[in-house]
Structures are given as C-alpha cells and as structure tokens.
Amino acid sequence: MSGEDERFARLRRDLAGAADRDEIVALFQPQYTLANRRLVSVETLARWEHPQLGTIGPAEFIPIAEESDLIGEIGDAMIHLGVAAAAHWEKRVFPVEVAINVSILQLHDPDFVSRVAECIDSTPLDPGRIILELTESTALADVPLAVGASLALTALGVTLSIDDFGSGYWSEEQVAALPASELKIDQRLVQAAGATGAEALSAAIDFGKGRSMRTVAEGVETTEQLDRVRELGCDRAQGYLLGRPMSGDELEERLRRG
C-alpha cells in the first residue's frame, strides 16, 4: 500500500467520531458588500484538527465523509458551531450573517430539518442571521426531495444559498427549482482571464439577477477581479484579497474595528 493509500485509509478510520471528540473546528471568512465595503457576513469553514496529523482541510476530508456516510455527523457539528458563533456575535452587538455549508446529501436525511430547527431554537438568535449554502460534489439526483427539504428550511426563516455556481454540477434548471435567494459564483469564473471568462462570469451574475437572487463572488484575490465583479453588478464578494479564513476571535476583532 502506498503512503497516499495509507493516509486515506487512516483518515477514513479516524474521521468516525471526530466531531464528537471536538476535532472538527470552524474558521470564518469575511464577506463584504461591494457597494460600501461593509462586513455583513462570514462563511463557516470546516477544519479537522487531527491529534497526530495536524490540521486537515475540507478538500481532503469532506469527500471521505460523504463517501463514508459521515457527512451528517460533520454537517451537524458545523451547524452547531455556526449558529453558536452567530448567537455569540449578536449578543456582543456585532450582528453578522453566518453562512454554513450543507451538502446536498444532508437533505436526504428526513431528520435534518428538525435538527437545524432545534439548534436554532436553542438560542435567542434571529434565524435570518443564518445562511445555509447548498453544496454539490455530485450531480443533484433527486430534485423533488431537495426541493421539499429546502422549502422546509426556508420555513424556519433561514436563507438558502447556491454554492459554487458555475463549477459544473449545478444547472440553471436545478437552481430555478430550489427556493434559494442567494447565488455564489464559483471562483473559477471569478478568476478566469480573457473575454470568454468575462462572458461566463457576466452570464452567471445576470442569471442570478434575473431570478432576483443576491449574487456573491467567491475567490476574489486581486483588485482587478474585485473591480470586475463590482462593475458587473455583483452584490457581495469574499476571497483572500478581502480576508483569509480566521478564528472566531480574529473575526470578532475585525467586527469591532468596523
């Protein structure tokens, strides 16, 4: 067995119970309005603090969680971390929207919506502070099931967002079928160079605007990219140019500075 195979096997074995052991932690990436550069939202990003292997990013362990039926366990942990952070900042008079990634596979769980409701109800938090970002790593297979769960989530008062639009999985028909009010433009479109890239980016933003969805540019890393998405009418942006993922304490300090 190669070293890569050994690592995969170990991660798959150790990921079971990682959330219960408090090894799944959250970082927060700020998101700003493009009209006035206000910090209005943060995305909750999962990290696995493995006791021997150190910090492991979601690109490595989330596919393992989905393949191993552990995504519900990880997802629930992230919802609790995100809701707790939002409630804490609201109490500290730093009201900010908190976005939490939800795998489309989690919508297949019949108890998922009730667990989200229970988590939010356990705090005095306004549900409108929570954004659930629907993510796809595979094509959406059961549209009616996803629509039903999505409608139940919006009935709780949370905002639904389509994550990574333009990455290749989401179709316009699927997005149109879901009750989402925000469209996050994949970083590959935001960072693409040349006329073809600009056309694809413009088309994605126009699609969201045409459906009265708030549009968010992901992965903004240069002032040129920031200027482009602003000129094309995008509403918000996030990326390393505006702020890297940071701890809750670092994010609170940024909120305090305004």
Side-chain angles (χ1 to χ4, degrees):
M1 182 181 292
S2 69
E4 185 176 322
D5 290 338
E6 288 180 357
R7 179 178 173 88
F8 178 85
R10 178 171 185 179
L11 293 181
R12 181 172 180 174
R13 181 182 67 249
D14 293 352
L15 188 56
D20 291 337
R21 297 189 298 271
D22 295 326
E23 294 172 8
I24 303 300
V25 301
L27 294 182
F28 304 92
Q29 186 170 33
Q31 184 185 110
Y32 290 84
T33 59
L34 288 172
N36 54 17
R37 296 286 189 93
R38 285 199 311 118
L39 199 173
V40 291
S41 180
V42 298
E43 181 177 359
T44 309
L45 301 170
R47 297 292 186 269
W48 180 10
E49 296 294 345
H50 193 286
Q52 284 81 44
L53 302 178
T55 303
I56 301 171
E60 186 172 14
F61 74 84
I62 291 298
I64 296 174
E66 291 181 330
E67 184 268 338
S68 305
D69 293 329
L70 294 171
I71 192 61
E73 175 182 321
I74 304 299
D76 284 357
M78 292 307 299
I79 287 171
H80 280 274
L81 289 170
V83 168
H88 171 73
W89 290 323
E90 187 171 80
K91 183 178 180 181
R92 302 270 289 179
V93 200
F94 299 125
V96 64
E97 296 172 353
V98 175
I100 306 163
N101 290 299
V102 172
S103 168
I104 209 74
L105 297 177
Q106 291 173 260
L107 300 185
H108 296 174
D109 182 344
D111 297 323
F112 175 68
V113 175
S114 62
R115 291 201 302 275
V116 173
E118 182 179 354
C119 182
I120 294 174
D121 289 345
S122 68
T123 75
L125 180 69
D126 175 1
R129 298 280 182 210
I130 299 299
I131 302 171
L132 298 182
E133 296 186 4
L134 302 181
T135 64
E136 278 200 299
S137 58
T138 58
L140 182 58
D142 194 331
V143 175
L145 180 62
V147 170
S150 298
L151 287 170
L153 288 169
T154 57
L156 300 178
V158 304
T159 297
L160 284 192
S161 175
I162 301 296
D163 197 20
D164 299 332
F165 183 71
S167 62
Y169 287 118
W170 290 110
S171 70
E172 292 185 359
E173 292 75 19
Q174 290 170 342
V175 173
L178 295 169
S181 56
E182 180 181 88
L183 189 72
K184 297 193 75 176
I185 313 299
D186 188 73
Q187 63 180 355
R188 281 170 283 191
L189 293 185
V190 173
Q191 298 170 2
T196 302
E199 289 176 7
L201 174 60
S202 179
I205 294 173
D206 287 346
F207 170 73
K209 293 294 185 182
R211 297 199 56 78
S212 299
M213 302 174 80
R214 182 172 63 209
T215 52
V216 182
E218 298 182 286
V220 174
E221 297 184 350
T222 68
T223 54
E224 180 184 4
Q225 293 165 4
L226 184 65
D227 290 342
R228 183 189 304 132
V229 296
R230 182 188 293 113
E231 290 167 2
L232 290 173
C234 207
D235 299 304
R236 298 181 178 183
Q238 68 182 77
Y240 283 5
L241 178 68
L242 301 169
R244 291 175 176 265
M246 60 190 70
S247 69
D249 288 342
E250 291 173 309
L251 193 282
E252 184 170 329
E253 178 59 29
R254 184 168 290 208
L255 289 168
R256 185 177 291 109
R257 294 198 308 266

